[in-house]
Amino acid sequence: APTFDAAAEYRKGIGALEAKDFKGALAAFKRVLGVAPRDANTNYLAGLAAAGTGDDKRAAGYFEKAVKFNDTLVPAYRALGLTRAKLGDKPGATAARDALQKKLTACGTTCAGAADLKAAIEAIDAALAQAPQARLDLRVPQSFVSARSGDLAYLDAVALINERRYGDAIASLEAARAAFGPHPDVLTYLGFANRKLGRY
């Protein structure tokens, strides 16, 4: 069994990414993935770290896993499309763009994530036009950085569970997971809420 706290390593990796210590960030995220290989957020962040070290091919692999394990993670789709464009993989970049377009069409222009979806599509279109000079923004999204927003999302989720609003609780728990990684408390509540919804 690992002798480290995966949630602490996750936060350490985010701190290293913010400090542009890409090798240190990648090492931390690899430790997390050693115990939670299907964690989409960690795969996404590991992709940013790998891109920061200049290994775009490895970064694309992490981004692919991130969208495979969570097909609602728009920043990972965006990063995947930009990285594929930079690698000269036009079909791969176009596939990521098309997946985002499909989500935008399904949600319409008024859904909560419409602006993010549009921005990601526009970024991939621009990258396809200027590949291989396309650039990936290596800044960590604010939803991953803010421990305070993670705390608030977690507390909101607990209140929603107490009200038996399990679907809404899951959305809040996913926001907490972005901030804290595969934290045991978050994962336990995710399991509980999904079980209550019959998602065994």
Side-chain angles (χ1 to χ4, degrees), residues 74-75 77-79 81-82 93-107 113-129:
V74 173
Y77 273 109
R78 177 183 181 140
L82 296 176
T94 303
R97 184 217 181 273
D98 290 348
L100 290 168
Q101 183 62 56
K102 185 176 179 183
K103 291 178 186 312
L104 181 60
T105 302
C107 88
D116 292 337
L117 288 164
K118 284 181 188 175
I121 291 166
E122 290 169 4
I124 295 172
D125 285 341
L128 283 166

Side-chain angles (χ1 to χ4, degrees), residues 4-13 25-39 41-43 180-183:
F4 59 86
D5 180 339
E9 285 295 314
Y10 182 88
R11 293 300 303 166
K12 179 180 172 184
L26 188 55
F29 293 133
K30 280 182 175 180
R31 284 192 285 277
V32 176
L33 290 171
V35 295
R38 297 174 59 91
D39 187 71
N41 296 324
T42 306
N43 275 290
F180 300 125
H183 192 284

Side-chain angles (χ1 to χ4, degrees), residues 42-128:
T42 306
N43 275 290
Y44 165 60
L45 295 170
L48 291 180
T53 67
D55 192 344
D56 291 323
K57 190 172 181 181
R58 177 182 278 184
Y62 283 122
F63 297 141
E64 288 278 0
K65 289 178 184 175
V67 299
K68 176 183 176 184
F69 299 136
N70 181 355
D71 73 347
T72 65
L73 194 56
V74 173
Y77 273 109
R78 177 183 181 140
L80 176 60
L82 296 176
T83 304
R84 288 288 181 207
K86 187 175 180 184
L87 289 168
D89 178 8
K90 186 175 180 180
T94 303
R97 184 217 181 273
D98 290 348
L100 290 168
Q101 183 62 56
K102 185 176 179 183
K103 291 178 186 312
L104 181 60
T105 302
C107 88
T109 57
T110 58
C111 74
D116 292 337
L117 288 164
K118 284 181 188 175
I121 291 166
E122 290 169 4
I124 295 172
D125 285 341
L128 283 166

Side-chain angles (χ1 to χ4, degrees), residues 173-199:
L173 287 165
E174 289 295 350
R177 190 158 95 168
F180 300 125
H183 192 284
D185 295 340
V186 175
L187 295 175
T188 299
Y189 272 124
L190 275 168
F192 177 79
N194 277 288
R195 180 170 64 82
K196 286 295 191 177
L197 292 173
R199 300 173 182 167

